Amino acid sequence: MNQMALHKLGYGLYIVCSRKGDRHNGQIANTVFQITSEPPTIAVSINKNNLTHEYIKTSKVFTASVLSQDTPLSFIGHFGFKSGRDMDKLEGVDYKTGETQAPVVTENALAYLEARVIQDVDVGTHTIFIGELVGAEVLGEGEPMTYAYYHQVKRGTTPKTAPSYIEKKKETKSEMAKYECSVCGWVYDPELGDPDGGIEPGTPFEDIPDDWVCPVCGATKDEFERIE
Ligand code: FE
């Protein structure tokens, strides 16, 4: 058996939100999918350790926002690498309150779906929540983010054919060290910089301002280690 076959499955990237009483939370999820069309039902698979899991289990409602391909890494990292137990992840983010009183993230979102749970399936580490659609809107035009695009283009080894590929500066090649974030594994490549974070391509790691943070997880500069 070659489990690499699993990596050939295609996924999107979504922010799944729920509430518990008047508290709310959201997280990144790649498994949101339509199950039936009559009536329209959707499912999400959520890790049992996540706060959003507890919220969906309690309130039996969830929303899913479809992220645009242009979504900044820092926005994804905010929902993916931080816990709502420590902070209000929706503070400072554009969102609205849906039919079910659950939050719906509208920032960087092309569309959203809102559902009431009709069944949940315990699958060990995760629960699959199946919900009947109670709300849905298209919010904007554009390409939805795929999981593959996020990993290949946004986070790392950018294929040259990708639309967001940044031409490398040849004269700076191999003179500047790469640094890896010890929290999330994202690699700072000086040749690419971090344009979303205001760091021009060609900026050595040492020259990055001290208040800069990892675009993926928000870790500070001192969490980075030189790798080559
Ligand atoms: Fe990081």
Side-chain angles (χ1 to χ4, degrees), residues 81 181-186 214-219 224:
F81 281 93
C181 175
S182 62
V183 176
C184 73
W186 182 76
C214 173
V216 174
C217 74
F224 277 74

Coordinates of all heavy atoms in Angstrom, one line a residue, residues 81 181-186 214-219 224, ligand 1:
F81 N -3.3 28.5 13.1 CA -2.2 28.2 14.1 C -2.4 28.8 15.4 O -1.6 28.7 16.3 CB -0.9 28.7 13.5 CG -0.2 27.8 12.5 CD1 -0.5 27.9 11.2 CD2 0.5 26.7 12.9 CE1 0.1 27.1 10.2 CE2 1.1 25.8 12.0 CZ 0.9 26.0 10.7
C181 N 10.8 28.7 10.4 CA 10.0 28.9 11.6 C 10.0 27.6 12.4 O 9.5 26.6 11.9 CB 8.6 29.4 11.2 SG 7.5 29.6 12.6
S182 N 10.4 27.7 13.6 CA 10.4 26.5 14.5 C 9.0 26.1 15.0 O 8.7 25.0 15.4 CB 11.3 26.7 15.7 OG 10.8 27.8 16.5
V183 N 8.0 27.0 14.8 CA 6.6 26.7 15.2 C 5.9 26.0 14.1 O 5.3 25.0 14.3 CB 5.9 28.0 15.6 CG1 4.4 27.8 15.9 CG2 6.6 28.7 16.8
C184 N 5.9 26.5 12.9 CA 5.1 26.0 11.8 C 5.9 25.4 10.6 O 5.3 24.7 9.8 CB 4.1 27.0 11.3 SG 4.9 28.3 10.2
G185 N 7.2 25.6 10.6 CA 8.0 25.0 9.5 C 8.0 25.8 8.2 O 8.7 25.4 7.3
W186 N 7.4 27.0 8.2 CA 7.5 27.8 7.0 C 8.9 28.3 6.9 O 9.6 28.6 7.9 CB 6.5 29.0 7.2 CG 6.5 29.9 6.0 CD1 5.9 29.7 4.8 CD2 7.2 31.2 5.9 NE1 6.2 30.7 3.9 CE2 6.9 31.7 4.6 CE3 7.9 32.0 6.7 CZ2 7.4 32.9 4.1 CZ3 8.4 33.2 6.3 CH2 8.1 33.7 5.0
C214 N 6.1 35.7 11.5 CA 5.9 34.6 10.5 C 4.5 34.7 9.8 O 3.5 34.8 10.5 CB 5.9 33.2 11.2 SG 5.5 31.9 10.1
P215 N 4.5 34.8 8.5 CA 3.3 35.0 7.8 C 2.3 33.8 7.9 O 1.1 34.0 7.7 CB 3.7 35.2 6.3 CG 5.0 34.5 6.2 CD 5.7 34.7 7.6
V216 N 2.8 32.7 8.3 CA 1.9 31.5 8.4 C 1.3 31.4 9.8 O 0.1 31.2 10.0 CB 2.7 30.2 8.1 CG1 1.8 29.0 8.3 CG2 3.1 30.3 6.6
C217 N 2.2 31.5 10.8 CA 1.6 31.2 12.2 C 1.7 32.4 13.2 O 1.2 32.3 14.3 CB 2.4 30.0 12.8 SG 4.1 30.4 13.3
G218 N 2.4 33.5 12.7 CA 2.5 34.7 13.6 C 3.6 34.6 14.6 O 3.7 35.5 15.5
A219 N 4.5 33.6 14.6 CA 5.6 33.6 15.5 C 6.6 34.7 15.2 O 6.7 35.2 14.1 CB 6.4 32.2 15.3
F224 N 12.8 31.8 14.6 CA 13.4 31.3 13.3 C 14.8 30.8 13.5 O 15.6 31.3 14.3 CB 13.3 32.4 12.3 CG 12.0 32.5 11.6 CD1 10.9 33.1 12.3 CD2 11.8 32.0 10.3 CE1 9.7 33.2 11.7 CE2 10.5 32.1 9.7 CZ 9.5 32.7 10.4
Ligands
FE1 FE 5.5 30.0 11.6

